[in-house]
Amino acid sequence: MNKVVANADEAVRDIPAGATLMLGGFGLCGIPENCIASLVKKGINNLTCISNNAGVDGFGIGLLLENKQVKKMISSYVGENAEFERQLLSGELEVELVPQGTLATRCMATGYGMPAVFLQAGYGTEVQEGKEVREFNGKHYLLEMAFDSDFAIVKAWKGDKMGNLVFKDTARNFNPLMAMAGKITIAEVEELVEPGEIDPNHIHTPGIYVHRIFQGKDYEKRIEQRTVRQRG
Amino acid sequence: MPLNKEQIAKRIAQELQDGFYVNLGIGIPTLVANYIPEGVNVVLQSENGLLGMGPFPFEGEEDADLINAGKQTITTLPGSSFFDSAMSFGMIRAGKVDLTVLGAMEVSENGDIANWKIPKKMVKGMGGAMDLVAAAKNIIVAMQHTNPKGESKLLPKCSLPLTGVNCVRKIVSDLGVFDVTADGFVCLEYAPGVTIEEIKAKTAGKLTIAADVKEMTV
């Protein structure tokens, strides 16, 4: 078993144009910065990206958008990105907006081997269009499908060489769900350790879900809204 | 005088009960955290994966890995916990969160809410709003009673794309406090200095005035 790759370039080496990718993160928190940089460098286009957000101008998935590599975004919230808005309004970019909990649960369904789930969000709204509606105990639910994702790219705090992952704080968000959902899952970690160095009780994502892992570098970890309080 | 944003938040804070798990949306709802009454202990849920949201960090202690749903840097408190996005919305969907406070562009007299999209103008996405309104047991909307043109935002029917149907139970606006019932909006309280006539004039949806209507205390 050898899951360790040297770097992001090697981890994304075989991602082809037209692939469907899940990318972990919420806003810019917990995004796979190294792999995004390598995808930009590689220049493959026509990508379908499943990610809660679409980055911001000049960072995160915003870099892939600027480079015109994205054909379709599947996200819950895509504000704070002028280039995204421009491509959307000009028709260059397809967008499927999905309620955040539905997005997370569709990722979960994929990872748990379930083809679809019934969820309440969006009933009676335009999200319902084209979906089967079922009533359970007097409430209405939409049939929401699992995803079919060629690659999942996640960012963890720590990982070991067997692919076991630990996430930090709210950088966990979509990462463990997407890690379970990729046909091939790539994990970039801030600290790569030997098997046994992480207490098995503390592992969030078991290594069975992770196919490639590497120690990331030069994390910028940009903050979108820096809010502080005064001392005293 | 109509309430300012801080006063709307302050009035909503009076609805908090000891032991509540509460999700506060972006904007006015976020301010509710500043007015939690003394002796009332609530746990704030942030839907990106945190229970027990604390105040903003001290300058220099910001951590990019620790943010709220508005992407602001925050802190934890003793007893906080982190979880993934599926569990976060799972606890919302399963009714574990006692109260959700969120903003709205429009609310209809049957409790429909629109707050995510203005066609051809603003299409940023719904984020977690549709999940929250579809599942929360108890939703309070914090909003301005009228739009900048002075038109009512409490309507017979929403004109904007809906976020959820028949889900809003209470509204705190700058003019008063309203229940949303099978019989439309019911005015329970009016803001100090605001008249019932003004509320009637600025409410387009069906409105009744509660027999025991009173002036709001903020």
Side-chain angles (χ1 to χ4, degrees), chain B residues 121-142:
Chain B
K121 269 193 185 165
M122 185 205 85
V123 189
K124 293 185 171 186
M126 66 292 277
M130 285 193 180
D131 310 272
L132 283 158
V133 300
K137 301 189 275 201
N138 190 4
I139 299 172
I140 299 180
V141 166

Side-chain angles (χ1 to χ4, degrees), chain B residues 11-210:
Chain B
R11 175 59 190 84
I12 291 172
Q14 294 172 19
E15 302 291 318
L16 301 174
Q17 293 175 27
D18 194 40
F20 263 15
Y21 289 90
V22 181
N23 181 290
L24 301 175
I26 294 162
I28 299 174
T30 305
L31 302 173
V32 174
N34 300 335
Y35 299 105
I36 299 168
E38 207 154 319
V40 173
N41 288 301
V42 300
V43 178
L44 300 179
Q45 200 246 19
S46 190
E47 67 265 26
N48 55 320
L50 168 63
L51 275 168
M53 179 165 50
F56 295 149
F58 290 120
E59 195 155 7
E61 292 179 4
E62 311 94 282
D63 182 346
D65 289 332
L66 183 47
I67 63 170
N68 65 16
K71 287 133 192 165
Q72 297 171 312
T73 46
I74 47 156
T75 56
T76 55
L77 295 169
S80 290
S81 55
F82 295 112
F83 34 85
D84 67 53
S85 301
M87 185 179 281
S88 182
F89 285 93
M91 65 182 71
I92 289 164
R93 211 180 278 128
K96 306 294 180 188
V97 174
D98 298 289
L99 175 66
T100 292
V101 183
L102 73 178
M105 299 174 192
E106 295 177 347
V107 176
S108 75
E109 62 192 30
N110 69 335
D112 294 353
I113 178 171
N115 71 353
W116 76 281
K117 181 176 181 181
I118 303 172
K120 298 197 173 94
K121 269 193 185 165
M122 185 205 85
V123 189
K124 293 185 171 186
M126 66 292 277
M130 285 193 180
D131 310 272
L132 283 158
V133 300
K137 301 189 275 201
N138 190 4
I139 299 172
I140 299 180
V141 166
M143 67 192 294
Q144 304 295 332
H145 210 93
T146 55
N147 66 21
K149 288 185 210 157
E151 298 160 342
S152 180
K153 293 163 70 173
L154 281 67
L155 301 167
K157 198 170 186 296
C158 294
S159 64
L160 295 168
L162 295 180
T163 308
V165 294
N166 191 17
C167 53
V168 178
R169 295 286 161 263
K170 196 174 224 100
I171 298 168
V172 178
S173 80
D174 52 334
L175 301 185
V177 180
F178 304 83
D179 269 350
V180 185
T181 71
D183 201 31
F185 303 113
V186 177
C187 178
L188 304 175
E189 298 176 19
Y190 51 89
V194 169
T195 64
I196 297 291
E197 284 63 41
E198 183 179 356
I199 290 173
K200 282 183 177 166
K202 290 181 174 171
T203 306
K206 186 176 180 191
L207 173 73
T208 48
I209 309 298

Side-chain angles (χ1 to χ4, degrees), chain A residues 26-30 52-53 75-80 84-85 88-89 97-105 108 118-127 139 155 157 168-174 176-177 190 220-232, chain B residues 46-50 55-76 81-87 89-90 93-94 113 116-117 119-132 134-136 161-165:
Chain A
F26 174 88
L28 301 177
C29 180
N52 189 59
N53 310 87
S75 304
S76 86
Y77 187 82
V78 292
E80 334 327 331
F84 181 96
E85 213 167 313
L88 178 61
L89 293 171
L97 290 171
V98 180
Q100 195 179 333
T102 297
L103 185 70
T105 309
M108 190 192 82
F118 281 105
L119 301 173
Q120 279 173 292
Y123 170 72
T125 76
E126 61 187 62
V127 166
K139 286 183 182 159
K155 153 81 196 312
W157 177 36
K168 182 170 162 284
D169 299 0
T170 54
R172 192 181 318 185
N173 56 61
F174 284 81
L177 305 164
E190 288 180 54
E220 184 181 338
K221 292 197 180 186
R222 199 180 285 188
I223 291 173
E224 276 183 77
Q225 307 282 341
R226 187 179 300 274
T227 45
V228 296
R229 72 188 140 131
Q230 299 305 315
R231 281 174 204 277
Chain B
S46 190
E47 67 265 26
N48 55 320
L50 168 63
F56 295 149
F58 290 120
E59 195 155 7
E61 292 179 4
E62 311 94 282
D63 182 346
D65 289 332
L66 183 47
I67 63 170
N68 65 16
K71 287 133 192 165
Q72 297 171 312
T73 46
I74 47 156
T75 56
T76 55
S81 55
F82 295 112
F83 34 85
D84 67 53
S85 301
M87 185 179 281
F89 285 93
R93 211 180 278 128
I113 178 171
W116 76 281
K117 181 176 181 181
K120 298 197 173 94
K121 269 193 185 165
M122 185 205 85
V123 189
K124 293 185 171 186
M126 66 292 277
M130 285 193 180
D131 310 272
L132 283 158
L162 295 180
T163 308
V165 294

Side-chain angles (χ1 to χ4, degrees), chain A residues 12-21 39 42-48 68-71 150-151:
Chain A
V12 305
R13 63 190 182 270
D14 56 350
I15 297 182
T20 296
L21 313 179
L39 288 170
K42 201 167 143 70
I44 45 161
N45 59 10
N46 277 318
L47 299 172
T48 294
K68 308 249 169 37
Q69 292 176 258
V70 183
K71 178 183 75 175
D150 302 315
F151 292 85

Side-chain angles (χ1 to χ4, degrees), chain A residues 158-212:
Chain A
K158 274 186 194 175
D160 71 23
K161 291 179 174 174
M162 291 184 75
N164 295 303
L165 303 177
V166 181
F167 304 92
K168 182 170 162 284
D169 299 0
T170 54
R172 192 181 318 185
N173 56 61
F174 284 81
N175 280 301
L177 305 164
M178 291 180 169
M180 294 172 68
K183 289 196 188 88
I184 293 175
T185 290
I186 298 164
E188 58 175 83
V189 299
E190 288 180 54
E191 191 184 351
L192 184 64
V193 300
E194 293 298 327
E197 286 188 47
I198 304 172
D199 182 336
N201 287 299
H202 296 166
I203 287 166
H204 295 131
T205 297
I208 190 170
Y209 294 110
V210 176
H211 303 87
R212 298 173 193 165

